[in-house]
Amino acid sequence: MANVIEEAKSGRASCRTCKKTIGKGELRLGVEVTNQFSDTPSMAWHHALCAAGKLPGELKEAMATYEGDIPNKLELEAAIADSLKKGKGKPGGFPYVDRAPTGRAKCMQCEEPIGKDTFRVAVEREIDTGSMVTRGAGYMHTKCAVANLENTGGSKDELVEGIRTHSRLAPDDLEVAIGEIEAGVA
Ligand SMILES: [Zn+2]
Ligand SMILES: [Zn+2]
């Protein structure tokens, strides 16, 4: 299950960000969490505004699909943009674009190294460890992402759409990265 936005059904839950109670009827973001003691995931709740600061990506994603009324939508959007600009939050799914933290990773597509601090596209892939197959991130140059669709299927539009949803880059950087992807050149 994905993250959800809803009006609090009761006033019993408290916000995981500020620890204060979330009043009945207040808009809150629920993030699914698993813990080691239980097989059933539970929801961790945050005030919408607290989530904008701490979990901007998750909130942005949930707001995109929420059909109800969001009274302070503009305020939330401004807070989300602000947090993203400060580089808060972490990617919430694949595919996404971020900046390569080192120059060591090789591109899945062309097998050349991905330069430190350049944009890279992360996609989910199966990793065969020998004893088991797990899922993890694979990285590519932005210019190689479209070429790689031949292996993974999917269209360029779907790729860009996914990247817009999941990336935690500042809006300006995101447009530059998407431009590189669409051009197929770095
Ligand atoms: Zn809060
Ligand atoms: Zn490449």
Side-chain angles (χ1 to χ4, degrees):
M1 208 176 100
N3 308 324
V4 293
I5 292 186
E6 63 171 40
E7 286 178 6
K9 295 182 188 87
S10 73
R12 287 195 301 271
S14 54
C15 172
R16 294 281 181 102
T17 305
C18 71
K19 313 293 178 215
K20 290 185 188 132
T21 306
I22 302 172
K24 188 176 178 195
E26 273 191 84
L27 222 50
R28 62 183 185 176
L29 174 74
V31 178
E32 200 177 67
V33 289
T34 45
N35 74 62
Q36 55 186 324
F37 307 110
S38 160
D39 290 334
T40 7
S42 59
M43 297 301 269
W45 299 103
H46 304 261
H47 290 108
L49 200 54
C50 290
K54 197 183 177 191
L55 303 164
E58 287 82 349
L59 182 65
K60 185 177 166 194
E61 207 175 315
M63 277 172 68
T65 54
Y66 181 65
E67 289 175 354
D69 201 33
I70 303 178
N72 57 341
K73 194 169 183 187
L74 291 178
E75 184 189 6
L76 290 176
E77 282 172 349
I80 288 170
D82 195 49
S83 308
L84 291 176
K85 212 172 287 170
K86 291 177 191 148
K88 283 193 193 160
K90 58 181 194 310
F94 295 103
Y96 66 85
V97 175
D98 66 1
R99 285 182 190 275
T102 71
R104 290 196 297 269
K106 288 213 171 80
C107 172
M108 282 165 63
Q109 179 68 13
C110 71
E111 297 184 352
E112 296 290 320
I114 302 172
K116 186 175 188 309
D117 292 331
T118 62
F119 294 123
R120 62 177 182 181
V121 177
V123 295
E124 190 174 45
R125 64 163 173 177
E126 287 184 349
I127 298 169
D128 191 343
T129 64
S131 56
M132 57 183 270
V133 177
T134 63
R135 300 192 76 81
Y139 300 101
M140 289 176 289
H141 296 110
T142 46
K143 65 174 177 173
C144 296
V146 169
N148 188 257
L149 290 173
E150 284 179 15
N151 305 326
T152 55
S155 70
K156 184 163 87 171
D157 287 348
E158 284 164 4
L159 176 72
V160 169
E161 181 67 35
I163 284 168
R164 281 190 193 283
T165 308
H166 300 129
S167 298
R168 302 294 177 260
L169 291 173
D172 293 353
D173 282 351
L174 183 60
E175 291 314 314
V176 172
I178 286 175
E180 289 179 8
I181 291 165
E182 290 187 325
V185 288

